[in-house]
Amino acid sequence: MNILGMTFDDLVGEMASRYGKGRCHAAMLYREIFRRGNPDWHRTDLFRASPDLTRQLVQDVDLWPGRVQQQQTEGDLVKVAVVLRDGQVVESVIIPMAERTTLCISSQVGCRMGCRFCETGRMGLRRNLTAAEIVGQVYLVNFILGCPVGNVVFMGMGEPLDNFGPVRHAIRVLTDDHGFNLARRRITLSTVGLVDGIHRLAQGGAPLPQLAVSLNAPDDRIRSRLMPVNQVYPMADLRRALLAYPQRPKGAVFIEYVLIEGINDRPEHADALADFLRPLRAKVNLIPCNPCSGRPFRSPAPEAMDRFRDRLLTRKIFVRKRAIKGQRVMAACGQLGKNI
Ligand code: SAH
Ligand code: SF4
């Protein structure tokens, strides 16, 4: 029983059907694992009092989040590579922030969306991760590496809405108030813009993550050149889905925009982007394009990025520049998977 992929209610169900036990044992087990990361949960009084059950549980409960293969540090950023049971490698990035540590997690090994500027896209899709493997990344950093995770962002390898069921279930586990208990606003799901997936997410009920969209272009012509997904879901459809997505009061959708010199960084692109975003409550993150093997794309100079930002500001768009971090160890945006 792979407990890392279970909500409290899942565990209650399993405890009843497998062992005929009630909520009390489930609550104790769940708390010891998800609140304390205690691999010796079976030594607590409640379990010591029922040795037969405990023997069985020790055999059945699978708590293994994978084996850390490598940790690479650059500044305050740590990239962690973890080997899964079948030998596939998944990468997460620990990003210390002013208040809380953010963990950037993967939802797939590789990705099949094929964005031209993205290293993960070049790998293609190797496989989807299970809910347990997704939650396992948080468990491992939180309890095994001992770095308390305050925010989770689905911005690592993979397109989360292309692995819909396991990702949604992982969000349920991460927000479960018997366990990790992360607030909705502490989980950000970044998508390439799979419109059907956004609708499905919105209709699936709570807990809804904070939504981020990798827009990266001011119009369909440029976006389709950079991101094949745009030929299936053009920007007007994407905007409709974003307008329909339930936001928290004062909430906004995050728009990621990778600036690529000579492609999407001109003043008229900023104007078109502002027009596109006008009906939305949006916060734009400008990301300098990181190098991607075999492609000529590169970031504009810092002054050009500032000009792009200022142009958006004059159009009353909320915008921030994202700092460049992690390029050397290939932990920066869009670079995961390069070495695996
Ligand atoms: N598949 C999802 C989640 C991954 S997030 C998504 O695309 O949103 C990865 C982020 O890195 C995306 O915002 C993407 O636009 C960005 N990215 C990809 N390649 C990049 C590059 N070469 N330089 C900077 N950012 C890049
Ligand atoms: Fe996949 Fe996102 Fe990279 Fe596009 S940017 S290839 S969707 S990981």
Side-chain angles (χ1 to χ4, degrees):
M1 145 166 107
N2 207 330
I3 198 162
L4 293 178
M6 288 183 169
T7 61
F8 176 61
D9 286 345
D10 294 338
L11 184 64
V12 169
E14 286 290 319
M15 289 294 260
S17 63
R18 283 179 184 236
Y19 316 105
K21 285 289 169 191
R23 291 174 73 86
C24 181
H25 284 83
M28 177 62 106
L29 179 56
Y30 205 81
R31 196 171 55 232
E32 287 299 312
I33 288 176
F34 285 100
R35 286 274 166 94
R36 304 187 51 207
N38 179 10
D40 292 331
W41 51 268
H42 42 87
R43 294 194 212 285
T44 49
D45 289 349
L46 183 71
F47 289 105
R48 291 226 295 232
S50 9
D52 289 345
L53 167 74
T54 304
R55 212 169 301 120
Q56 197 56 51
L57 273 173
V58 168
Q59 263 183 30
D60 293 351
V61 170
D62 178 2
L63 238 191
W64 194 67
R67 176 176 59 79
V68 177
Q69 183 190 49
Q70 199 181 27
Q71 287 189 59
Q72 287 171 282
T73 306
E74 180 173 338
D76 52 3
L77 199 116
V78 185
K79 179 165 93 168
V80 186
V82 173
V83 189
L84 303 172
R85 280 222 161 76
D86 62 351
Q88 293 288 358
V89 176
V90 75
E91 294 182 330
S92 330
V93 183
I94 307 172
I95 312 163
M97 303 281 219
E99 284 174 25
R100 294 162 159 249
T101 292
T102 292
L103 182 65
C104 174
I105 60 172
S106 297
S107 55
Q108 300 177 312
V109 185
C111 180
R112 59 178 179 148
M113 296 297 134
C115 304
R116 305 266 182 260
F117 43 81
C118 176
E119 207 64 66
T120 312
R122 290 172 63 88
M123 287 173 75
L125 178 65
R126 298 210 183 145
R127 76 167 170 85
N128 281 323
L129 296 181
T130 64
E133 288 166 339
I134 295 169
V135 175
Q137 297 169 62
V138 183
Y139 182 88
L140 189 144
V141 168
N142 204 78
F143 294 122
I144 298 181
L145 302 183
C147 177
V149 174
N151 297 297
V152 170
V153 296
F154 282 85
M155 294 188 189
M157 283 195 286
E159 165 50 41
L161 297 182
D162 188 39
N163 183 21
F164 191 89
V167 165
R168 186 163 67 186
H169 201 69
I171 292 171
R172 293 204 175 111
V173 177
L174 293 171
T175 51
D176 195 309
D177 56 6
H178 288 83
F180 279 122
N181 198 20
L182 282 176
R184 167 186 175 191
R185 72 197 146 85
R186 302 255 169 234
I187 300 183
T188 302
L189 184 150
S190 175
T191 175
V192 72
L194 294 182
V195 167
D196 289 352
I198 296 172
H199 284 305
R200 236 177 118 190
L201 198 60
Q203 285 152 11
L208 285 177
Q210 165 69 48
L211 201 61
V213 173
S214 298
L215 194 63
N216 300 333
D219 59 45
D220 280 324
R221 194 180 56 81
I222 298 176
R223 194 163 195 263
S224 292
R225 269 178 58 200
L226 294 172
M227 304 170 73
V229 71
N230 198 67
Q231 288 154 26
V232 184
Y233 298 113
M235 285 170 65
D237 294 358
L238 177 56
R239 185 168 60 186
R240 256 193 302 279
L242 297 181
L243 282 166
Y245 191 78
Q247 288 291 353
R248 289 178 288 116
K250 297 207 185 133
V253 59
F254 295 157
I255 300 291
E256 290 151 298
Y257 193 98
V258 176
L259 273 168
I260 309 175
E261 190 181 54
I263 306 266
N264 63 2
D265 63 340
R266 300 187 55 77
E268 56 270 29
H269 297 150
D271 292 343
L273 177 63
D275 290 342
F276 175 78
L277 296 177
R278 178 81 43 230
L280 291 166
R281 266 212 314 261
K283 294 186 175 177
V284 177
N285 249 311
L286 294 178
I287 308 170
C289 183
N290 294 308
C292 173
S293 36
R295 303 269 184 210
F297 299 143
R298 51 179 206 180
S299 169
E303 308 76 54
M305 285 193 68
D306 287 347
R307 277 198 296 277
F308 195 91
R309 180 200 53 198
D310 293 345
R311 187 107 180 174
L312 288 177
L313 284 175
T314 59
R315 305 284 304 260
K316 304 263 180 312
I317 301 290
F318 182 102
V319 56
R320 280 183 305 208
K321 279 197 311 178
R322 193 178 287 171
I324 310 177
K325 277 185 170 180
Q327 278 191 352
R328 187 173 49 74
V329 296
M330 296 302 286
C333 298
Q335 295 191 307
L336 296 186
K338 167 90 197 265
N339 300 322
I340 61 181

